Amino acid sequence: MKTYRIPHTDLDVSCLGYGCLKLGGSWDRAPLGRAERARAAHVIATALDQGITLFDHADIYTYGKSEAVFGEVLQQLPGVRDTIVLQSKCGIRFQDDPQPGDPPRYDFSSHHILHAVEGSLRRLHTSHLDVLLLHRPDPLVEPEEVAQAFTELQRSGKVRYFGVSNHTAAQIALLQRYLDQPLVINQVELNLLHAHLITDGIGANQAGVPHTAAGGTLDYCRVHDIMIQAWAPVAGGTLIDPPPGAEARVRTTAERVAEWANDKATSREAVVLAWLLRHPARIQPIVGTTTPDRLVASCLADRLELSREEWYALLVTARGASLP
Ligand SMILES: NC(=O)c1ccc[n+]([C@@H]2O[C@H](COP(=O)([O-])OP(=O)(O)OC[C@H]3O[C@@H](n4cnc5c(N)ncnc54)[C@H](OP(=O)(O)O)[C@@H]3O)[C@@H](O)[C@H]2O)c1
């Protein structure tokens, strides 16, 4: 599989990453069962076999079970840890954590970041994370606290590189002003149906075209060499199998995707992911299926190159409106 160098690092990663969110099964505190263990082992083996080298986690995924089952599988695969890039996230806290009645919240305090990383290292059975991302912007962030935590984590060798997720350009700039380490990744929701990070700029000078607060974020990341990772790259399957009652633009896009997959003798997943890979920002889709066949189908994207004309044709279909 093609690789990208994560800017400001010595890490080369496959152009598709694997998202481990659903490996732990249900979102509850029930213990891991045999079925989750077997499914995780199968899909992780498939990912490795397909040449995927970046694995994305978060401390909260299925209440820690996703990291835990991944850690178990890793222990059964001696030598693999050193061949992969392990990434996790922190900063989201659940209701009742730690006291009953505590609200769901974000927490970028130094204490919480350090505590969360300890938990991830323990569950993943690893001495270090290659990359740590701050999961969602915390409006109460005190960047000095983040700086303190990052410096301590780097000094102790527990985290090599740092990044963010779901952050705007201004939020990244604020943090970066206080950090000694470069922010190397911004992981954002990005797919054909949720493409405003890519499309905001198109209508920037157009009356009546709505913009989002994220406008300029993609360009900012390119200017500052921050790698963009795309979460929900196939929109949770909506672009492959639209649910009943999906809007017309979704159905039409899925039809076009299916038609091209057929014409190009590839998979529908590959067409959808190739749309992200065609962007010159070198976007890394984080694929989240737990179905090995779908993962193999997704990896065909590595061999599919869309032309400028095809990229725009899909964009206009998915927008459901012509370009200005
Ligand atoms: N930073 C953040 O805030 C954030 C938020 C969400 C996710 N993430 C990361 O991004 C990763 C990917 O997110 P995602 O799971 O939403 O991405 P996705 O790859 O767009 O969607 C995968 C999900 O869609 C389902 N699906 C249904 N039909 C499918 C089809 N034909 N092909 C492929 N998948 C189909 C899969 O089910 P099956 O498993 O049954 O195949 C799976 O639940 C996560 O694992 C996580 O690591 C990050």
Side-chain angles (χ1 to χ4, degrees):
M1 188 173 297
K2 285 190 274 301
T3 57
Y4 296 148
R5 167 64 54 107
I6 303 180
H8 312 287
T9 78
D10 58 0
L11 302 176
D12 291 315
V13 292
S14 51
C15 64
L16 299 178
Y18 182 68
C20 300
L21 188 157
K22 295 186 173 130
L23 288 188
S26 51
W27 280 86
D28 54 36
R29 297 189 194 278
L32 282 166
R34 195 182 296 185
E36 287 88 41
R37 290 191 164 96
R39 192 177 57 162
H42 191 179
V43 76
I44 292 167
T46 306
L48 292 169
D49 197 44
Q50 292 293 309
I52 289 179
T53 58
L54 181 135
F55 292 84
D56 178 64
H57 289 270
D59 56 345
I60 58 162
Y61 287 165
T62 64
Y63 287 89
K65 286 188 284 179
S66 298
E67 285 184 334
V69 75
F70 191 93
E72 284 182 17
V73 173
L74 207 54
Q75 280 194 307
Q76 291 154 18
L77 299 170
V80 166
R81 170 64 187 97
D82 294 338
T83 67
I84 62 172
V85 169
L86 261 186
Q87 168 177 293
S88 195
K89 313 184 200 76
C90 67
I92 299 182
R93 298 188 74 165
F94 290 124
Q95 187 165 339
D96 302 327
D97 169 23
Q99 303 295 335
D102 282 345
R105 61 206 186 279
Y106 305 136
D107 189 346
F108 286 4
S109 65
S110 176
H111 177 266
H112 178 69
I113 293 171
L114 295 172
H115 178 74
V117 168
E118 290 301 332
S120 291
L121 295 180
R122 192 179 60 249
R123 287 185 292 272
L124 288 165
H125 295 287
T126 184
S127 61
H128 70 281
L129 296 175
D130 296 293
V131 187
L132 175 71
L133 307 183
L134 298 174
H135 206 152
R136 281 187 181 277
D138 173 11
L140 296 183
V141 62
E142 293 171 78
E144 300 90 335
E145 289 262 324
V146 177
Q148 195 187 323
F150 282 11
T151 297
E152 199 166 323
L153 289 168
Q154 196 174 46
R155 256 200 220 127
S156 60
K158 290 178 180 170
V159 177
R160 295 198 64 209
Y161 300 106
F162 301 88
V164 292
S165 176
N166 302 303
H167 276 57
T168 65
Q171 289 162 341
I172 297 171
L174 173 65
L175 278 172
Q176 191 60 78
R177 187 172 154 209
Y178 291 83
L179 299 177
D180 289 335
Q181 305 79 9
L183 292 168
V184 302
I185 287 171
N186 186 16
Q187 185 181 109
V188 294
E189 182 174 7
L190 190 56
N191 60 58
L192 259 169
L193 298 178
H194 185 95
H196 60 264
L197 283 183
I198 290 174
T199 56
D200 264 2
I202 295 176
N205 188 35
Q206 187 77 13
V209 177
H211 299 105
T212 70
T217 295
L218 187 72
D219 294 328
Y220 179 91
C221 290
R222 292 179 77 181
V223 167
H224 293 277
D225 286 329
I226 298 170
M227 190 165 107
I228 292 282
Q229 292 179 333
W231 64 263
V234 302
T238 304
L239 281 161
I240 319 281
D241 294 308
E247 13 170 354
R249 71 178 181 113
V250 177
R251 281 185 278 113
T252 318
T253 308
E255 278 163 22
R256 180 160 255 191
V257 164
E259 205 179 287
W260 287 9
N262 190 43
D263 293 350
K264 293 171 184 293
T266 185
S267 67
R268 294 173 295 169
E269 289 83 351
V271 174
V272 172
L273 294 169
W275 187 81
L276 289 170
L277 293 174
R278 173 64 179 79
H279 194 283
R282 294 159 72 80
I283 293 166
Q284 183 187 41
I286 305 295
V287 178
T289 179
T290 54
T291 310
D293 286 351
R294 286 178 176 161
L295 184 53
V296 172
S298 301
C299 292
L300 293 175
D302 182 41
R303 284 180 250 154
L304 179 63
E305 204 142 316
L306 298 184
S307 66
R308 173 177 291 270
E309 290 67 32
E310 289 168 331
W311 189 88
Y312 271 99
L314 277 181
L315 173 70
V316 171
T317 311
R319 270 165 70 91
S322 53
L323 297 174

